[in-house]
Amino acid sequence: MELQYGVNHLALRFRVGRGILCSMRVSILALVLFSVGFAVPPGNLGRQSLAHSSGAALEIGSPTLRVFGPKDYGADVQNWAIVQDLRGVIYVGNGDGVLEFDGAHWRLIRVANRTTVRSLAVDAAGRVFVGAQGEVGTLEPDTSGQMQYVSLMNRIPSEDRGFSDVWDSFATKEGVVFSTATRIIRMGPRVEVWKPKTSFHRMFQVGERFFLRERDLGLMELADGEWRLIPGGERFATEKLSAMLPWEAQGSILLCTRTQGLLTYDGATFRPFSTEADVALKQNMLYAAVRLVDGSLALGTLNGGLYFLDAQGRQRGHLGQAEGLLDSAVYTLAQDRQGGLWMGLGKGIARAEVGMPLTAFAKQSGLDGTVTSICRHGSTLLAGTSQGLFRLVTHPKGETRFLPLPGIKSQTWAFLDWGPSLLVANTLGVYELQGGAPKLIRPSSRSSHALCRSRLDPSRVFVALQDGLASMRWTKDRWVDEGRIPGVTEEIRSLFAMADGRLWACTNSQGVIRLTPPSGWQGGSSGSAPIIERFGTAHGLPDLSRNFVYDLGGKPLFGTHRGLYRFDEAMGSFIPDPRFARLFPEGPRWIFGLVDGIKEDSRGWIWMHTKDELRGVVETGAAVPGTDGFYHWDPKPLSALRGSWIPSIHVDADDVVWFGGDEGLFRFEPGISRDYLQPFKALVRKVVGPGEKVIFGIAGSGAVPGLDYADNALRFEFAAPSFDRLEANQYQVFLEGVDRNWSSWSHEAYRDYTNLREGRYRFRVRAKNLYGTVSEEGSCDFRILPPWYRHPAAIVLWGLVLAGSIAGAFRWRLSAMKRRNQELSLAINQATEGLETLNRRLYNLNDAKNRIIGLAAHDLRNPLSTILLHCELLQSDVLEPEVAESVEKIQTLGVNMKNLIQTLLDVHAIEAGQAE
């Protein structure tokens, strides 16, 4: 390992030295281009570069690049192998083990002896095989579902285990093959081992065929279980091979060599395949190669980065440290299912979005500042930025870079093609480019924002100023400044000239102005002043600020905060253009940009920059004409520009579209097709419980895991292996049993849930990528077990305890009631005895009463009746008054007494039940 590090260190020093020399050559080249490029005849600005029709391919630019450094993935700097499994997860052979990347999380998996992983392979079932230093194995899920390394060394005979680096691994129908300098090992139903006569160098698979270079012998092919030298294979006895790839002709193979360049092999003859990068590939030591899905080649070198060639060998691009790679050494290449090209580097990992219609010229290409204007004059592409004016030049080796034009500094706002020359609106005024150095033909104390040629008088040019409007005129052989137009002091940002001489001028914050020049107007302040009309919100404009007028098919089209408007002459006001009524169904958008903010190509597609001010969505795309007569919005081809400010758009004659903004210059080639609806699947990566404990991961037995109630606070981590602009991926989650619906879209690749009750759950996740494509769902099922006191067994026990308690309470109550009944019975008995005694007493009293009544009836009533009879007899006689009075009293008292006795007898009769 120390020896390897020393070799790499020396190589790095060698590359740094070469880099300094290359930088010196670029500087010298720039000086030469400056001295040559502008000493050309009028009308031939930059003519020394290839004509646009033949040189457009050289203007391709760089693919969008994503770089991961050691701090991003948390492992060794060097990376030797890259594969993708069936789910879309990327695996990288690293100096510290195997790196696993799902689009959101990096994870390091160490091999058994903790050595460098040199090679990887994936079989048809998605199983990942690993070749390290003195170690081979596979990745398998552990009990929690997390991928771990499992050694296969126990399958290799002990006498064949003494090997070092496993430089190549292949998953075949017969088993996995591991290639080392001293052994070729194939593990299938049985283990086969081949040994060299000298030493093996590299092994290659082309379709179902396997080739192997043996040092000092040459190139061999596996046939009938034996390695045999192929015809002419001895030429590689001392020649290193980097790759063997299937080629165009049937059975043909492309060989990538270290010193002989590229060769084709038809089974009998080797033929040179010349390319425009031959010299660079030899000088920079070709090391890795891959055939891309579009048939082109990507070739990695140890000292010069990555080169792109088409099928004819023409160079179509280059990626090195100047373009953003962390290192110039490219050890391995692999293309993922989205078409992205992964690079394992001497330092770091990179992914380039190759085969895309959109490429970029960023700051590394020589541009400085925000691109605010774009123009092609002749065959030369010019870009105006906040720092000046730049032109795209072609390096003699096929590379392209932007170089600044001396003499034009600061903000460059707009261009106007004037035949043999080019007019440039700049912060310092208006420049003319023709042949040599730029000439300031109309200086200005404040910025010149736009230029517009009069259609009524083609010799006149209107100049939009930061503080008004001016005009200048071409007379014979010079420009004449006609001065400012009186009555206009607003900041003018865009202009449009009508065929009848009228001029539309959009201000920065004070609405729209229309100027109607008088007959015979000589421009500026000479003669009669133009008629000035000002339009604001009362005339249909949604807002006074940031309205722009664009030339669409020779007619004015106004970009406003509520979409695209046109001016209705009959109404005298602005109205929404009905052609764009269905452009944004979710609500109108602000259409904005600078002078070249809207451009139409030959297909009728209208390219523009928009902003949904309500939702905050900033998007560039095309309004595509539909069969229904309306335009429909398509942002997918430019999804990578979402969120970027794109103030300027330019369309070439071949419909290549250029977009300039705060992140550089972008080139879109519509002829390159792209499947933006390519399916992918969201992945549930792992579930983490309290204390960062991994509950379960991405793989498992399929059984629904049961989690302790103490683990009812869970974090779900998920990912989406859609790698184009990873930061654009969004996720929605839905936990069945808790959530009522899908969550809102979020960029966070995790979701927390707490205080989950016992029960069965299903966690679901789906993703949406850069292009708005929604993934297949990922899911995982699990159960939260109840706490011990709510466990079914505990519930049964609690039921038994409750039943026993109820039974005990019932028995206690029954016993108490029994005792109470006994007490009541005793009390009743005692009361009964008392009542019997009392009854006897009452009976005796009743007898006494009856006797008294009987006495009254017989012993009192009869004598009393006799007394009353005698009284009646006495009264019939004549008596003395006093005697008669006494008899009367006796009779009265007797009657009363008799009545009393009769009452007693009546009461007695009632008690005896004898009364009627």
Side-chain angles (χ1 to χ4, degrees):
M1 187 67 182
E2 293 178 355
L3 178 60
Q4 179 66 44
Y5 178 81
V7 172
N8 291 332
H9 181 65
L10 289 174
L12 177 62
R13 293 181 60 188
F14 176 71
R15 290 196 298 272
V16 170
R18 289 179 58 84
I20 294 173
L21 293 175
C22 289
S23 298
M24 293 175 63
R25 287 199 298 269
V26 170
S27 299
I28 295 172
L29 172 65
L31 291 175
V32 172
L33 288 172
F34 281 142
S35 61
V36 175
F38 299 105
V40 293
N44 292 279
L45 180 65
R47 188 62 58 83
Q48 80 282 359
S49 62
L50 295 176
H52 179 56
S53 59
S54 61
L58 300 178
E59 298 179 346
I60 290 175
S62 299
T64 301
L65 190 66
R66 182 64 179 262
V67 177
F68 305 94
K71 291 183 179 179
D72 297 313
Y73 54 74
D76 188 68
V77 296
Q78 293 184 331
N79 298 278
W80 296 93
I82 300 175
V83 295
Q84 185 178 31
D85 72 4
L86 298 182
R87 301 162 303 158
V89 177
I90 296 293
Y91 292 90
V92 180
N94 179 266
D96 285 337
V98 179
L99 290 170
E100 181 185 58
F101 183 57
D102 54 23
H105 316 91
W106 286 97
R107 178 171 169 264
L108 176 64
I109 306 170
R110 295 188 183 276
V111 298
N113 60 358
R114 303 175 75 86
T115 59
T116 298
V117 174
R118 300 288 191 191
S119 60
L120 296 168
V122 180
D123 67 9
R127 191 180 184 191
V128 179
F129 294 93
V130 181
Q133 292 176 319
E135 178 69 31
V136 296
T138 184
L139 300 182
E140 302 288 349
D142 62 12
T143 55
S144 69
Q146 295 289 290
M147 288 295 184
Q148 299 296 337
Y149 179 80
V150 177
S151 178
L152 296 176
M153 293 296 290
N154 60 344
R155 292 200 59 197
I156 301 175
S158 57
E159 64 272 15
D160 292 318
R161 298 178 186 174
F163 53 82
S164 182
D165 296 272
V166 181
W167 287 105
D168 300 292
S169 299
F170 304 95
T172 74
K173 295 178 180 179
E174 292 77 19
V176 60
V177 179
F178 299 104
S179 173
T180 75
T182 59
R183 302 284 191 279
I184 300 295
I185 303 168
R186 182 164 66 187
M187 293 184 183
R190 61 190 181 91
V191 176
E192 301 173 84
V193 179
W194 292 272
K195 299 179 182 179
K197 294 179 181 179
T198 57
S199 65
F200 296 132
H201 175 221
R202 293 292 302 275
M203 184 175 174
F204 310 99
Q205 180 179 12
V206 182
E208 298 297 324
R209 303 170 68 183
F210 288 91
F211 298 88
L212 174 68
R213 176 182 174 262
E214 186 170 347
R215 291 177 175 87
D216 300 327
L217 293 179
L219 186 61
M220 302 180 177
E221 182 176 3
L222 182 64
D224 299 325
E226 295 183 2
W227 292 100
R228 300 172 183 172
L229 194 68
I230 65 173
E234 62 276 1
R235 70 182 293 171
F236 303 103
T238 58
E239 173 66 66
K240 291 184 177 180
L241 284 170
S242 301
M244 295 181 65
L245 307 171
W247 203 234
E248 296 299 335
Q250 185 176 4
S252 184
I253 298 173
L254 182 71
L255 293 87
C256 303
T257 73
R258 184 67 56 85
T259 63
Q260 298 178 33
L262 304 184
L263 305 171
T264 59
Y265 176 62
D266 59 8
T269 306
F270 294 94
R271 293 184 176 86
F273 179 70
S274 298
T275 76
E276 293 178 351
D278 283 347
V279 175
L281 294 176
K282 291 177 182 179
Q283 289 179 346
N284 294 319
M285 304 175 67
L286 178 60
Y287 189 80
V290 67
R291 187 84 183 274
L292 302 179
V293 293
D294 63 359
S296 63
L297 290 170
L299 306 174
T301 68
L302 292 178
N303 298 320
L306 184 70
Y307 291 85
F308 294 101
L309 303 177
D310 65 15
Q312 289 71 43
R314 293 173 295 196
Q315 185 170 336
R316 288 297 175 261
H318 173 257
L319 287 177
Q321 287 182 283
E323 288 74 30
L325 296 183
L326 298 180
D327 191 76
S328 295
V330 180
Y331 293 152
T332 187
L333 297 167
Q335 192 171 21
D336 62 31
R337 286 194 286 276
Q338 279 186 291
L341 180 63
W342 291 83
M343 292 162 270
L345 307 175
K347 178 183 178 181
I349 302 165
R351 181 183 184 271
E353 295 179 12
V354 298
M356 296 284 286
L358 190 70
T359 54
F361 291 88
K363 190 171 183 178
Q364 294 90 336
S365 66
L367 282 175
D368 188 12
T370 297
V371 178
T372 51
S373 54
I374 311 166
C375 173
R376 185 176 293 281
H377 189 68
S379 62
T380 302
L381 187 75
L382 298 166
T385 79
S386 55
Q387 300 300 316
L389 181 58
F390 296 79
R391 64 191 295 268
L392 187 62
V393 298
T394 303
H395 190 280
K397 293 184 179 181
E399 298 177 5
T400 53
R401 286 185 63 81
F402 276 94
L403 297 177
L405 269 73
I408 298 183
K409 300 294 184 183
S410 68
Q411 190 83 54
T412 298
W413 294 102
F415 301 102
L416 179 61
D417 195 316
W418 195 264
S421 65
L422 182 71
L423 302 183
V424 181
N426 182 270
T427 297
L428 301 179
V430 179
Y431 287 87
E432 182 183 26
L433 294 180
Q434 185 175 5
K439 178 182 178 182
L440 184 61
I441 58 174
R442 190 189 184 281
S444 176
S445 59
R446 309 192 71 177
S447 293
S448 296
H449 285 145
L451 301 169
C452 180
R453 190 170 190 168
S454 172
R455 296 188 184 185
L456 187 63
D457 182 0
S459 65
R460 177 173 290 116
V461 172
F462 295 102
V463 183
L465 303 173
Q466 192 172 353
D467 56 355
L469 183 64
S471 66
M472 57 185 192
R473 184 184 182 91
W474 175 258
T475 56
K476 296 183 180 179
D477 58 352
R478 64 188 181 90
W479 286 100
V480 175
D481 182 4
E482 296 182 321
R484 291 173 174 269
I485 296 176
V488 181
T489 58
E490 295 90 341
E491 181 178 0
I492 308 299
R493 301 308 299 262
S494 59
L495 300 168
F496 179 83
M498 302 285 287
D500 59 5
R502 290 181 295 177
L503 181 71
W504 286 104
C506 289
T507 73
N508 190 50
S509 60
Q510 295 170 277
V512 177
I513 297 173
R514 183 169 65 175
L515 288 84
T516 303
S519 177
W521 183 60
Q522 297 300 313
S525 57
S526 60
S528 302
I531 299 172
I532 299 175
E533 301 171 271
R534 287 181 167 83
F535 301 90
T537 55
H539 304 88
L541 286 176
D543 199 289
L544 292 177
S545 66
R546 299 292 183 89
N547 298 297
F548 286 86
V549 59
Y550 304 109
D551 184 348
L552 186 66
K555 296 182 179 180
L557 185 67
F558 297 86
T560 77
H561 286 266
R562 302 287 292 176
L564 293 168
Y565 277 57
R566 64 181 178 86
F567 186 74
D568 188 293
E569 290 286 352
M571 298 173 60
S573 64
F574 293 88
I575 60 173
D577 192 315
R579 296 173 296 172
F580 305 98
R582 299 181 184 177
L583 200 58
F584 305 110
E586 70 281 3
R589 295 189 184 184
W590 180 19
I591 311 298
F592 72 106
L594 295 178
V595 176
D596 297 320
I598 287 181
K599 289 293 182 180
E600 185 177 18
D601 64 21
S602 64
R603 301 171 299 172
W605 289 32
I606 303 173
W607 299 90
M608 64 184 73
H609 187 52
T610 72
K611 182 176 183 179
D612 186 327
E613 296 183 275
L614 182 62
R615 297 186 301 154
V617 176
V618 177
E619 201 170 57
T620 305
V624 182
T627 56
D628 56 359
F630 295 93
Y631 284 89
H632 302 276
W633 183 242
D634 185 6
K636 284 186 173 62
L638 303 179
S639 296
L641 301 184
R642 184 178 293 121
S644 300
W645 184 53
I646 305 294
S648 184
I649 302 173
H650 171 77
V651 178
D652 277 332
D654 57 1
D655 280 343
V656 169
V657 190
W658 297 84
F659 302 90
D662 56 349
E663 296 183 9
L665 185 66
F666 298 88
R667 179 184 184 272
F668 178 76
E669 187 171 343
I672 299 177
S673 61
R674 171 72 173 176
D675 181 10
Y676 299 106
L677 301 177
Q678 187 177 35
F680 64 103
K681 184 174 182 179
L683 304 175
V684 180
R685 296 296 288 158
K686 65 180 178 180
V687 182
V688 181
E692 300 298 319
K693 178 176 65 174
V694 177
I695 305 298
F696 55 93
I698 58 175
S701 63
V704 178
L707 310 182
D708 293 335
Y709 189 75
D711 294 328
N712 69 347
L714 300 176
R715 166 169 287 192
F716 296 86
E717 295 184 4
F718 34 84
S722 181
F723 300 105
D724 290 351
R725 269 195 70 182
L726 290 168
E727 63 276 8
N729 288 342
Q730 299 182 69
Y731 304 91
Q732 274 188 325
V733 300
F734 184 17
L735 182 59
E736 293 182 1
V738 174
D739 297 328
R740 294 184 177 181
N741 208 335
W742 287 95
S743 68
S744 300
W745 288 105
S746 170
H747 293 285
E748 292 184 342
Y750 68 90
R751 180 66 179 268
D752 293 325
Y753 289 91
T754 59
N755 298 320
L756 295 175
R757 290 197 49 93
E758 63 268 24
R760 184 161 182 159
Y761 297 88
R762 167 171 285 188
F763 178 78
R764 300 161 59 190
V765 60
R766 61 189 180 189
K768 183 170 64 175
N769 65 10
L770 170 67
Y771 310 109
T773 303
V774 178
S775 72
E776 299 176 33
E777 285 186 22
S779 65
C780 65
D781 296 284
F782 64 98
R783 291 181 297 120
I784 299 290
L785 301 177
W788 66 268
Y789 51 84
R790 287 205 294 265
H791 194 276
I795 292 175
V796 172
L797 180 60
W798 283 118
L800 293 174
V801 171
L802 179 61
S805 299
I806 293 173
F810 180 76
R811 286 194 297 271
W812 173 82
R813 183 62 179 166
L814 188 61
S815 176
M817 291 178 66
K818 200 173 199 182
R819 289 194 302 272
R820 181 62 178 164
N821 288 339
Q822 290 173 351
E823 291 174 356
L824 288 174
S825 179
L826 179 60
I828 291 171
N829 290 336
Q830 291 174 350
T832 302
E833 291 177 0
L835 288 173
E836 288 176 353
T837 301
L838 180 62
N839 188 52
R840 284 194 297 270
R841 291 178 181 177
L842 290 174
Y843 183 78
N844 293 332
L845 290 173
N846 189 56
D847 284 345
K849 177 198 72 169
N850 291 335
R851 286 195 297 270
I852 292 172
I853 294 173
L855 177 64
H858 299 90
D859 296 340
L860 294 178
R861 188 176 61 176
N862 293 335
L864 185 59
S865 299
T866 301
I867 293 172
L868 292 174
L869 180 62
H870 285 290
C871 287
E872 290 178 356
L873 292 175
L874 288 174
Q875 287 178 342
S876 63
D877 295 333
V878 178
L879 298 175
E880 291 291 334
E882 294 179 355
V883 174
E885 183 179 357
S886 297
V887 172
E888 186 178 358
K889 288 181 180 180
I890 291 171
Q891 187 179 18
T892 302
L893 291 172
V895 171
N896 291 338
M897 179 66 73
K898 185 178 179 181
N899 290 337
L900 177 61
I901 291 171
Q902 186 61 44
T903 300
L904 289 173
L905 291 175
D906 291 339
V907 171
H908 178 68
I910 291 172
E911 290 178 351
Q914 299 174 354
E916 294 181 358

